Amino acid sequence: MIDNILIISLIIFLGSFTQGLTGFGLALVSVPLLSMCLDVKLAIPIAGIFGWLVTFPIVWKMKNHIKWKVTIILFIGSLPGSLLGANLLKYLPSEVILVTMGIILVISSLYSLFSRVSLIKKESYPVSLFMGFLSGSMGASVGEAGPPVIAYTSMMPWTNDETKATLVSFFMLQMIGAIVGFWYKDLLTGEVLSYVMKIFPAFCIGLLVGLFGYQLMHKFNINYHKIVYCFLIIIGSVLIVKNIF
């Protein structure tokens, strides 16, 4: 049990470190790794709680750059999506969820690696609503709310600060819907909350180290995003192979 807690703590440390370093990625990194040592129905709620907590300090720091109208519309769309996603998590076989997660990781990471063009000239509220719905569904079902909104916001003619701030503010609000969905479907169990309490110190340390690392990366002009995306492609590929063959 102690060894298991140590491994899970290291995974959450890595996830929160990635979030502090890049502004996103706690769930993308931690859910696939957690699912290798925990049941996926435990891994996703655990990562979801930490993925929610990590947004607060970033949102506060970048509040002046947030596109609030788009954020609210994305959030409204995510609410029914979160309930649908929690239902899928409760009833779908774990293998289906993990393969889906692997496919999402590989596709979204490849897109993020090679995409260079802003395809959308201005925000579309109907598209924002739809992307929010997709994000809510994926966040509650496979623990990966990011790909739809990351892809959508990366196509916008926004500054880096506006994109990052809007993404993080949406994740903060979206995870409220996801956590309500977890609770409604009896996925926020005592076991989940026990893990959260035990590994909370690792989460805090990882976030602080990641924020410090961000300052160093910025100082030396290192493209850390490519490193993260390559890592995620490897994790996603392992999940696909492991659960199909």
Side-chain angles (χ1 to χ4, degrees):
M1 180 65 178
I2 294 177
D3 289 342
N4 198 40
I5 290 294
L6 178 59
I7 292 170
I8 295 169
S9 296
L10 289 173
I11 292 170
I12 291 298
F13 170 87
L14 179 61
S16 60
F17 168 78
T18 302
Q19 183 89 24
L21 192 69
T22 67
F24 67 93
L26 188 146
L28 286 171
V29 170
S30 61
V31 171
L33 294 176
L34 285 173
S35 66
M36 294 178 184
C37 55
L38 289 175
D39 187 284
V40 69
K41 299 181 193 304
L42 290 174
I44 290 175
I46 290 170
I49 291 172
F50 284 119
W52 181 49
L53 294 175
V54 79
T55 61
F56 287 94
I58 300 174
V59 166
W60 175 255
K61 183 177 180 180
M62 304 189 72
K63 58 183 181 297
N64 294 329
H65 299 285
I66 297 171
K67 296 283 189 178
W68 280 112
K69 286 185 179 180
V70 175
T71 297
I72 296 301
I73 293 172
L74 287 168
F75 171 61
I76 291 172
S78 75
L79 292 175
S82 295
L83 294 177
L84 172 64
N87 202 48
L88 292 174
L89 175 61
K90 188 175 179 69
Y91 296 109
L92 279 179
S94 296
E95 292 78 11
V96 174
I97 295 173
L98 291 171
V99 170
T100 302
M101 184 191 308
I103 293 171
I104 291 168
L105 282 174
V106 172
I107 292 175
S108 61
S109 297
L110 285 171
Y111 177 87
S112 298
L113 265 176
F114 298 109
S115 176
R116 295 291 182 273
V117 181
S118 296
L119 299 178
I120 301 176
K121 302 303 180 183
K122 63 178 181 178
E123 53 263 29
S124 167
Y125 296 140
V127 174
S128 298
L129 198 66
F130 178 67
M131 289 298 180
F133 177 81
L134 289 180
S135 180
S137 299
M138 291 171 61
S141 60
V142 299
E144 308 294 352
V149 291
I150 290 172
Y152 177 51
T153 55
S154 69
M155 297 176 186
M156 304 295 291
W158 295 345
T159 67
N160 289 337
D161 284 342
E162 289 170 339
T163 299
K164 180 178 178 180
T166 302
L167 276 174
V168 177
S169 63
F170 166 70
F171 292 145
M172 180 183 72
L173 296 176
Q174 182 270 328
M175 280 311 304
I176 296 174
I179 290 172
V180 169
F182 293 151
W183 172 79
Y184 183 71
K185 293 299 178 180
D186 297 321
L187 295 168
L188 285 183
T189 62
E191 188 175 8
V192 168
L193 297 178
S194 175
Y195 275 120
V196 169
M197 294 297 293
K198 290 175 182 176
I199 60 185
F200 187 78
F203 160 78
C204 294
I205 295 170
L207 178 59
L208 291 174
V209 174
L211 290 172
F212 177 72
Y214 171 77
Q215 299 297 325
L216 293 179
M217 291 284 192
H218 184 71
K219 179 179 179 181
F220 294 104
N221 198 28
I222 298 174
N223 192 334
Y224 51 82
H225 287 97
K226 288 187 177 180
I227 298 172
V228 173
Y229 290 134
C230 290
F231 179 57
L232 294 177
I233 290 170
I234 294 171
I235 293 176
S237 300
V238 169
L239 284 176
I240 294 169
V241 172
K242 182 180 178 181
N243 289 280
I244 290 181
F245 302 104

